[in-house]
């Protein structure tokens, strides 16, 4: 619940409510990007960015290398499989 | 140091470990070990996975903190969840971890098996989607967690409000980290010298909410990431503070944690939530101002008010966790999991009796998973 999974923003779904499609380890799902959008990073500029996703919300930006390391750590700790499974079960692109 | 080769950067890890040993042998007391608490269950998990404790000098001891939101949930709250799920017409939604935590009557998983509509979701937004699809049912989301998950539940509530949804509510059981830390610091049974502070909570709240730890309690604190190297580096930073006689809040995880926290996240939290006067937490008892509740302006989305629940949070301290289960003592760091009579016997990950055995972030589950079943350092 607290670790967060890195994902890459692939498209914008809803500019008004700041919803983006994020690729999280191959599973694509809608993620709210309110917390990573500001004057410096308008929503339109976010495509391709890596973000840390907690419970369906992007909470922080991270660079690609950091994202890769975090993904590797989560895989080693065995934490990711369970979350990914839940994500798949509850409709990844709901 | 048998796990050192598993580090992504073994050379740096070796160097950090050597530096920690050097500082510990020259600057720390050899008789009274330094007690350092890692507050966050995610850190506990990394400590175990990489055998970091066994690399530390004997005069540095790790105390595993209560930083797993599921683990500090009193049984009474699970009972409340079950009571809500049993109300006719309710769809009860929750993160997976909370499903298996035992209540005094049953867990949410058992309630589901008994016919209640309990659904596991990945995000509170999934719960909102269920509410949109089922306008004739009341959809309750069990909002729990420290500040890491608070923005997501607050933003979900604000979204429900924007849409004018009438059938969505939160059962709010969030907890704030600084107040929980204060409760630990004032616990007479605990002697702590410093903290590793949680990385992702800090990503939301920033560094300043910890200032009281150094100012009022004179305990140094380092905000830490989750990589094994992050933890080693943070421990080195902390020991260096002791060696140099400093007491500061330092941020090892600056690549993720901004000094001022997440502005949008904090704004949503402030808009939706306020502190509760009393809240009961497993192991820590009744802590003033650690729990939060939904502000009056959003009472329409507060499951407690909306459903007229049969309990009274204001009373706090229900405290009927069974005597022989030592979860409370383990949570407070005054007892090790293997000292609990149920540990690895009647209580195991397949059949958890306490929350600490449910989530991989719980210290009992971590001790169990890494085979640390008794006090033998070589078994780490
Ligand atoms: S072993 Fe089980 S009952 Fe004992 S402290 Fe751990 S979780 Fe609680």
């Amino acid at each position: 619940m607290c670790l967060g999974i890195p994902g890459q923003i692939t498209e914008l779904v809803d500019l008004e409510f700041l919803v983006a499609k994020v690729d999280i380890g191959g599973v694509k799902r809608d993620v709210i990007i309110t917390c990573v959008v500001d004057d410096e990073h308008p929503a339109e500029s976010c495509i391709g960015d890596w973000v840390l996703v907690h419970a369906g919300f992007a909470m922080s930006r991270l660079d690609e290398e950091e994202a890769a390391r975090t993904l590797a750590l989560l895989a080693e700790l065995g934490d990711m499989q369970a979350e990914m499974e839940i994500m798949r079960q509850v409709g990844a692109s709901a | 140091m048998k796990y050192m080769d598993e580090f992504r950067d073994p050379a740096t890890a070796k160097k950090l470990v050597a530096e920690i040993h050097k500082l510990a042998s020259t600057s720390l007391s050899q008789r009274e070990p330094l007690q350092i608490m890692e507050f966050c269950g995610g850190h506990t998990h990394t400590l175990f996975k990489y055998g970091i404790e066994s690399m530390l000098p004997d005069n540095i001891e790790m105390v595993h903190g209560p930083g797993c939101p599921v683990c500090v949930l009193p049984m009474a709250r699970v009972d409340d969840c079950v009571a809500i799920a049993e109300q006719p017409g309710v769809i009860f939604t929750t993160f997976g971890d909370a499903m298996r935590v035992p209540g005094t009557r049953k867990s949410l998983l058992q309630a589901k098996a008994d016919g209640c509509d309990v659904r596991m979701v990945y995000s509170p937004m999934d719960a909102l989607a269920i509410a949109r699809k089922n306008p004739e049912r009341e959809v309750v989301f069990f909002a729990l967690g420290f500040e890491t998950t608070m923005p997501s539940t607050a933003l979900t509530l604000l979204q429900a409000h924007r849409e004018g949804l009438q059938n969505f509510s939160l059962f709010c059981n969030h907890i704030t980290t600084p107040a929980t830390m204060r409760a630990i610091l004032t616990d007479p049974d605990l002697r702590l010298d410093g903290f590793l502070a949680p990385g992702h909570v800090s990503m939301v709240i920033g560094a300043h909410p910890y200032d009281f730890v150094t100012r009022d309690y004179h305990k140094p604190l380092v905000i830490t990431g989750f990589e094994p190297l992050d933890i080693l580096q943070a421990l080195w930073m902390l020991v260096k503070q002791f060696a140099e006689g400093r007491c500061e809040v330092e941020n090892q995880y600056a690549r993720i944690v901004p000094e001022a926290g997440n502005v949008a996240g904090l704004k949503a939290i402030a808009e939706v939530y306020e502190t509760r006067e009393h809240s009961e937490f497993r192991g820590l008892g009744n802590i003033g101002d650690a729990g939060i509740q939904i502000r009056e302006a959003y009472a329409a989305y507060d499951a407690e008010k909306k459903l007229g629940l049969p309990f009274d949070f204001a009373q706090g301290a229900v405290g009927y966790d069974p005597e022989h289960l030592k979860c409370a003592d383990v949570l407070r760091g005054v007892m090790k999991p293997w000292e609990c009579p149920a540990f690895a016997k009647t209580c195991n990950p397949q059949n958890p009796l306490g929350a600490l055995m449910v989530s991989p972030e719980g210290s009992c589950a971590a001790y169990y998973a890494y085979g640390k079943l008794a006090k033998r350092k070589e078994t780490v």
Side-chain angles (χ1 to χ4, degrees):
Chain A
M1 191 190 304
C2 290
L3 228 39
I5 307 182
Q8 191 174 27
I9 299 178
T10 58
E11 62 181 281
L12 290 169
V13 176
D14 187 332
L15 257 181
E16 195 191 342
F17 294 120
L18 296 173
V19 184
K21 197 69 85 187
V22 174
D23 184 328
I24 309 171
V27 179
K28 289 204 171 177
R29 69 160 286 149
D30 288 356
V31 163
I32 313 293
I33 56 171
T34 314
C35 291
V36 294
V37 169
D38 53 28
D39 291 346
E40 238 173 85
H41 305 95
E44 295 84 350
S45 73
C46 289
I47 293 173
D49 288 358
W50 284 88
V51 287
L52 203 54
V53 181
H54 287 260
F57 286 73
M59 290 305 307
S60 174
R61 289 166 184 285
L62 63 178
D63 61 35
E64 196 170 349
E65 194 191 325
E66 173 79 16
R69 285 200 323 206
T70 307
L71 284 167
L73 175 78
L74 290 174
E76 272 171 38
L77 287 176
D79 272 356
M80 211 161 96
Q81 289 78 347
E83 288 235 0
M84 300 294 292
E85 195 40 50
I86 297 166
M87 238 187 278
R88 273 188 206 101
Q89 275 175 26
V90 295
S93 45
Chain B
M1 295 187 201
K2 64 180 182 175
Y3 287 142
M4 195 63 98
D5 292 344
E6 281 189 21
F7 281 77
R8 239 153 272 144
D9 183 354
T12 308
K14 271 197 188 110
K15 217 167 117 203
L16 282 168
V17 171
E19 285 295 322
I20 293 171
H21 275 263
K22 203 162 99 195
L23 282 172
S25 66
T26 53
S27 315
L28 300 183
S29 153
Q30 297 305 312
R31 268 173 301 142
E32 283 270 298
L34 207 60
Q35 306 256 30
I36 297 174
M37 174 177 274
E38 89 279 6
F39 182 89
C40 168
H43 289 157
T44 309
H45 202 164
T46 304
L47 278 173
F48 275 100
K49 166 81 187 168
Y50 294 93
I52 290 175
E53 279 184 296
S54 64
M55 297 169 195
L56 299 178
D58 286 339
N59 56 351
I60 298 179
E61 260 177 26
M62 298 307 296
V63 180
H64 310 304
C68 157
V70 178
C71 298
V72 288
L73 203 61
M75 278 188 162
R77 285 297 88 80
V78 179
D79 291 349
D80 296 337
C81 289
V82 172
I84 297 171
E86 284 173 342
Q87 294 202 16
V90 163
I91 301 177
F92 193 87
T93 57
T94 173
F95 293 132
D97 277 1
M99 300 262 295
R100 296 173 60 228
V101 180
T104 52
R105 282 198 297 139
K106 52 175 96 166
S107 67
L108 281 163
L109 203 61
Q110 285 159 331
K112 184 182 168 74
D114 293 345
C116 295
D117 196 344
V118 178
R119 301 187 195 178
M120 181 162 72
V121 292
Y122 163 69
S123 162
M125 288 302 280
D126 297 336
L128 201 64
I130 295 172
R132 286 189 201 108
K133 272 189 219 144
N134 298 275
E136 75 295 349
R137 310 270 304 271
E138 174 69 21
V139 176
V140 181
F141 179 71
F142 183 29
L144 86 164
F146 289 95
E147 288 88 338
T148 327
T149 49
M150 272 186 215
S152 53
T153 54
L155 286 162
T156 304
L157 184 150
L158 290 171
Q159 177 65 20
H161 182 62
R162 218 174 278 136
E163 292 178 28
L165 274 183
Q166 312 266 319
N167 66 323
F168 178 78
S169 54
L170 296 181
F171 180 36
C172 179
N173 281 263
H174 283 297
I175 326 162
T176 57
T177 304
T180 309
M181 260 185 191
R182 192 185 287 276
I184 292 169
L185 283 163
T186 48
D187 186 330
D189 294 341
L190 264 182
R191 180 182 72 78
L192 283 179
D193 300 299
F195 282 100
L196 297 185
H200 290 163
V201 162
S202 310
M203 159 188 87
V204 175
I205 65 175
H208 296 300
Y210 302 112
D211 287 347
F212 78 95
V213 179
T214 51
R215 190 189 56 228
D216 302 345
Y217 295 92
H218 312 291
K219 312 285 183 198
L221 176 150
V222 179
I223 297 165
T224 314
F226 296 88
E227 291 270 340
L229 274 186
D230 288 334
I231 292 184
L232 280 181
Q233 193 193 354
L235 282 168
W236 171 71
M237 288 164 77
L238 205 54
V239 177
K240 203 154 178 287
Q241 286 203 43
F242 287 109
E244 293 170 3
R246 288 181 294 121
C247 178
E248 293 162 19
V249 172
E250 289 184 302
N251 186 2
Q252 180 275 334
Y253 203 32
R255 62 188 194 272
I256 295 286
V257 174
E259 192 86 347
N262 186 297
V263 178
L266 287 172
K267 198 170 146 226
I269 290 175
E271 170 70 24
V272 170
Y273 300 125
E274 61 188 5
T275 51
R276 248 184 233 278
E277 220 175 306
H278 300 285
S279 300
E280 192 212 355
F281 300 111
R282 200 172 213 181
L284 301 167
N286 202 333
I287 315 181
D289 77 11
I292 58 158
Q293 61 193 7
I294 296 168
R295 286 184 190 279
E296 195 51 42
Y298 297 103
Y301 304 94
D302 186 344
E304 283 172 59
K305 295 197 173 117
K306 199 171 177 183
L307 304 180
L309 299 176
F311 50 77
D312 186 358
F313 264 105
Q315 299 296 319
V318 184
Y320 46 64
D321 293 352
E323 254 295 297
H324 66 288
L325 306 181
K326 298 299 178 194
C327 311
D329 290 338
V330 173
L331 259 177
R332 286 157 61 232
V334 297
M335 192 183 252
K336 298 286 185 200
W338 40 261
E339 292 173 290
C340 169
F343 179 70
K345 295 186 184 89
T346 47
C347 184
N348 56 59
Q350 285 72 44
N351 178 31
L353 296 180
L356 291 163
M357 196 54 107
V358 173
S359 152
E361 290 167 17
S363 49
C364 292
Y367 270 67
Y368 190 94
Y370 296 107
K372 195 172 174 180
L373 304 181
K375 193 191 179 181
R376 270 177 289 128
K377 211 167 184 182
E378 63 277 13
T379 60
V380 175

